[in-house]
Amino acid sequence: MITLALSKGRIFEETVPLLRAAGIEVLDDPERSRKLILATNQPEVRVVIVRATDVPTYVQYGGADVGVTGLDTLIEHGADWGGGAGLYQPLDLGIAKCRVSVAVRADFDYASAVRQGSRLRVATKYVNIAREFFAAKGVHVDLIKLYGSMELAPLTGLADAIVDLVSTGNTLKANQLVEVERIMDISSRLVVNQAALKLKQQAIRGVIDAFAAATKGTSA
């Protein structure tokens, strides 16, 4: 049995066509079903639905053999768990593309605020990415960890800036925020448990090869 960890939402939706191209059909819709373990048309493959931030943990510690997760999540996981030992990353699937950016209120003078040696209050879920980015600029930051509604932080005075995922930028505009710096581009990666790769080598290599072929097909 090969267990694939996925999260609901955009990553699941954009992984489904890759699974289908690999001959794997998920038999339940996670948005409609309360099941957390979903069968597929392949008796030897099942899907487990977990929180996006938990996908690397499930794969690293053997709760799943393979998973699909964003590069942002992998970076944060690696920083928190000592480099993400036990995780093999064979493929950039090129799905769920977005970017990690800095955003501020439209009337905030960001250029002055990030002068060398200055101090900035930054709200973010991505504390490790934010810390490294501002450290490289020589800017001291007080990081405030939030898990949602990031746009509220500058509007209420909780923070000067936010570091968050941006896709279209429409949410920022709707809340009178502007994107001032692009930190990195993000896409989703296939991750594999290294022990499972040894124990179930043929089956997992088959999954990796199928994803690789499907990814080439969608990008062609």
Side-chain angles (χ1 to χ4, degrees), residues 24-218:
I24 302 169
E25 293 275 356
V26 183
L27 302 181
D28 286 291
D29 181 352
E31 299 296 341
R32 297 182 181 181
S33 173
R34 291 182 178 271
K35 293 179 184 177
L36 298 177
I37 300 178
L38 308 180
T40 74
N41 65 329
Q42 304 290 338
E44 71 280 7
V45 179
R46 66 178 182 174
V47 172
V48 294
I49 302 299
V50 301
R51 287 184 61 141
T53 51
D54 290 338
V55 169
T57 303
Y58 269 81
V59 176
Q60 181 172 343
Y61 291 101
D65 301 302
V66 295
V68 177
T69 188
L71 177 61
D72 53 311
T73 302
L74 280 172
I75 292 171
E76 292 295 313
H77 175 84
D80 290 339
W81 295 86
L87 282 178
Y88 170 52
Q89 302 175 39
L91 285 175
D92 179 352
L93 299 175
I95 60 172
K97 290 182 177 180
C98 54
R99 56 195 179 274
V100 178
S101 292
V102 183
V104 298
R105 290 191 323 272
D107 62 352
F108 183 76
D109 187 354
Y110 179 75
S112 296
V114 292
R115 287 186 182 135
Q116 191 87 9
S118 60
R119 195 165 201 97
L120 198 67
R121 284 180 303 160
V122 178
T124 186
K125 180 168 66 173
Y126 305 104
V127 292
N128 296 301
I129 291 173
R131 183 182 293 112
E132 287 194 17
F133 175 73
F134 285 108
K137 292 172 71 70
V139 177
H140 302 290
V141 288
D142 296 318
L143 293 171
I144 303 167
K145 185 155 188 175
L146 294 179
Y147 294 92
S149 301
M150 216 66 64
E151 296 80 12
L152 273 176
L155 302 179
T156 59
L158 178 66
D160 302 310
I162 63 173
V163 169
D164 201 13
L165 291 182
V166 178
S167 182
T168 64
N170 290 337
T171 304
L172 294 178
K173 291 175 185 175
N175 289 283
Q176 291 79 53
L177 301 181
V178 292
E179 186 178 356
V180 288
E181 286 205 85
R182 186 188 195 116
I183 297 177
M184 66 175 62
D185 291 324
I186 298 295
S187 58
S188 290
R189 313 298 169 102
L190 185 69
V191 291
V192 181
N193 177 279
Q194 289 184 347
L197 184 58
K198 294 177 182 177
L199 295 171
K200 307 176 184 180
Q201 185 172 24
Q202 186 173 354
I204 289 180
R205 281 291 175 191
V207 170
I208 294 171
D209 291 344
F211 266 94
T215 301
K216 287 179 184 176
T218 55

